[in-house]
Amino acid sequence: MLFNLRILLNNAAFRNGHKFVVRNFRCGQPLQNKVQLKGRDLLTLKNFTGEEIKYMLWLSADLKFRIKQKGECLPLLQGKSLGMIFEKRSTRTRLSTETGFALLGGHPCFLTTQDIHLGVNESLTDTARVLSSMTDAVLARVYKQSDLDTLAKEASIPIINGLSDLYHPIQILADYLTLQEHYGSLKGLTLSWIGDGNNILHSIMMSAAKFGMHLQAATPKGYEPDPSVTKLAEQYAKENGTKLLLTNDPLEAAQGGNVLITDTWISMGQEEEKKKRLQAFQGYQVTMKTAKVAASDWTFLHCLPRKPEEVDDEVFYSPQSLVFPEAENRKWTIMAVMVSLLTDYSPQLQKLKF
């Protein structure tokens, strides 16, 4: 039996005098939660099964419903503190983490390169041990994935990847929650990536097949995804019976796609490559011409900040664009990550039908 979340949310909105857009959730019967993530690190979705990732999305939807829609106070992280290490600037990652952790009753501590310089002023080993003695978890937005791996090895608390050169797992959780809300299910969707073979694409490649989603990715020659990531993604696709297409043709990747996805062409630290990259990515702008070959129910995602050369205004501000719900969902998904890694809380909302 399907659980009609739309009716409950609309009734709650009417009673509380709020106006908001309610997306479609497909929910199954309540099931006893068998997934236990407490104490784990979140460095890459490669380390998580499909059921574990689904659990984090279910928990995200639960927190969003209980806190945003029902107005409940859930101090699940009261008395806990979070170290936030940011080697790179951020809008969504910082705001979603700080406000989300505080909303759950915890205390976030923001640290920039002026406060802490990983592996320079103090070794990574010493930093990990000190942070372990003073905080309950660390979210780190860094240049090198290897720094996160070292922190995780040396720390006795959960380490969470807030972005690295190789992966950006917490962004992909927000993307999947947004698509779950819009489509009602993820299984069978075709994701069309058009852009750089970067950390966002890598995180999609490490997780999409686990939901039964197909992936068609177009990158310019010389900007393909990491070969080791590609090899593992091919294995996942084979195991889950999904399609993985890697091409240099943007229109081929967009053909029949339900979700058109792109990202910045010039990541932080690549500014000196700007001229070369802009030339290499000619023809990769997502436009309505791109959308014409996509599925009739196509939508658009971009993790922001967005530059006009990556996607034109017609697509970016179209009714099919989900970029702003996607941005908001960064908050609910990072809250779910924190709760799942630090507590024994189980979702009260009926389990989502993925």
Side-chain angles (χ1 to χ4, degrees):
M1 180 183 294
L2 293 180
F3 176 73
N4 196 335
L5 180 59
R6 176 178 290 274
I7 293 175
L8 284 180
L9 293 182
N10 281 337
N11 287 341
F14 179 78
R15 286 195 303 270
N16 294 301
H18 297 309
K19 180 180 180 182
F20 50 80
V21 176
V22 179
R23 302 292 183 181
N24 290 312
F25 279 107
R26 284 176 56 196
C27 302
Q29 293 297 321
L31 297 176
Q32 184 176 1
N33 175 40
K34 297 181 180 179
V35 175
Q36 293 295 331
L37 302 180
K38 188 176 181 181
R40 295 269 298 272
D41 299 312
L42 176 54
L43 306 181
T44 166
L45 295 177
K46 175 178 68 176
N47 299 335
F48 290 79
T49 66
E51 287 305 310
E52 289 171 336
I53 303 172
K54 289 174 184 178
Y55 170 76
M56 287 188 280
L57 295 181
W58 176 24
L59 179 51
S60 304
D62 174 84
L63 295 175
K64 187 174 184 179
F65 175 61
R66 295 191 66 187
I67 296 173
K68 181 180 180 179
Q69 313 299 2
K70 294 183 67 179
E72 292 185 42
C73 178
L74 296 178
L76 301 174
L77 300 180
Q78 186 171 359
K80 298 188 182 298
S81 59
L82 174 73
M84 299 170 57
I85 300 173
F86 278 63
E87 290 188 326
K88 293 184 175 185
R89 64 185 181 271
S90 166
T91 300
R92 281 148 295 279
T93 301
R94 178 178 178 180
L95 275 175
S96 62
T97 304
E98 279 196 357
T99 59
F101 204 82
L103 185 59
L104 292 167
H107 181 73
C109 306
F110 182 72
L111 302 167
T112 69
T113 52
Q114 271 68 50
D115 305 299
I116 183 171
H117 202 173
L118 286 180
V120 177
N121 297 330
E122 186 174 35
S123 71
L124 286 170
T125 296
D126 293 355
T127 296
R129 293 179 181 180
V130 169
L131 290 173
S132 295
S133 71
M134 298 185 183
T135 66
D136 296 282
V138 169
L139 180 140
R141 185 179 179 90
V142 299
Y143 284 98
K144 296 186 295 183
Q145 178 74 24
S146 58
D147 285 348
L148 285 169
D149 295 337
T150 301
L151 283 173
K153 179 182 177 182
E154 300 294 338
S156 59
I157 57 175
I159 303 296
I160 299 144
N161 183 353
L163 177 145
S164 73
D165 57 348
L166 198 57
Y167 298 113
H168 196 358
I170 58 175
Q171 175 62 54
I172 302 311
L173 293 176
D175 292 358
Y176 291 168
L177 178 63
T178 306
L179 296 178
Q180 175 74 21
E181 289 175 335
H182 182 82
Y183 289 103
S185 179
L186 298 179
K187 187 175 182 180
L189 291 179
T190 295
L191 309 180
S192 296
W193 175 269
I194 301 170
D196 193 13
N198 63 11
N199 50 9
I200 299 289
L201 177 57
H202 289 163
S203 292
I204 294 173
M205 294 172 74
M206 292 297 93
S207 55
K210 297 174 183 179
F211 286 87
M213 290 188 286
H214 310 288
L215 175 60
Q216 301 173 172
T219 56
K221 291 182 179 179
Y223 295 90
E224 293 88 355
D226 184 277
S228 63
V229 174
T230 298
K231 183 177 180 180
L232 192 53
E234 290 172 343
Q235 177 185 322
Y236 289 155
K238 184 177 180 180
E239 291 173 352
N240 293 279
T242 60
K243 177 183 177 182
L244 174 64
L245 170 68
L246 301 179
T247 179
N248 301 121
D249 183 351
L251 290 182
E252 183 181 11
Q255 187 70 43
N258 303 105
V259 190
L260 302 177
I261 316 172
T262 193
D263 184 25
T264 182
W265 298 345
I266 305 158
S267 297
M268 284 175 280
Q270 298 175 335
E271 288 80 6
E272 293 181 1
E273 304 175 33
K274 182 175 181 178
K275 185 176 180 180
K276 178 183 176 183
R277 281 178 166 267
L278 288 176
Q279 185 176 358
F281 283 81
Q282 287 296 313
Y284 275 74
Q285 184 189 46
V286 177
T287 66
M288 285 300 179
K289 179 181 177 181
T290 316
K292 283 183 180 178
V293 303
S296 59
D297 64 348
W298 69 272
T299 54
F300 175 76
L301 293 179
H302 191 303
C303 69
L304 305 179
R306 161 257 187 176
K307 304 293 189 300
E309 62 264 20
E310 300 150 6
V311 52
D312 67 10
D313 284 355
E314 191 175 7
V315 170
F316 187 77
Y317 292 111
S318 70
Q320 290 80 16
S321 176
L322 303 178
V323 295
F324 295 110
E326 175 189 13
E328 181 195 340
N329 280 335
R330 287 293 306 278
K331 179 172 182 173
W332 303 107
T333 48
I334 195 61
M335 288 167 67
V337 168
M338 300 299 179
V339 169
S340 65
L341 300 186
L342 293 175
T343 77
D344 295 312
Y345 174 81
S346 292
Q348 305 300 302
L349 184 71
Q350 287 179 295
K351 191 172 184 180
L352 302 184
K353 180 91 172 171
F354 294 99

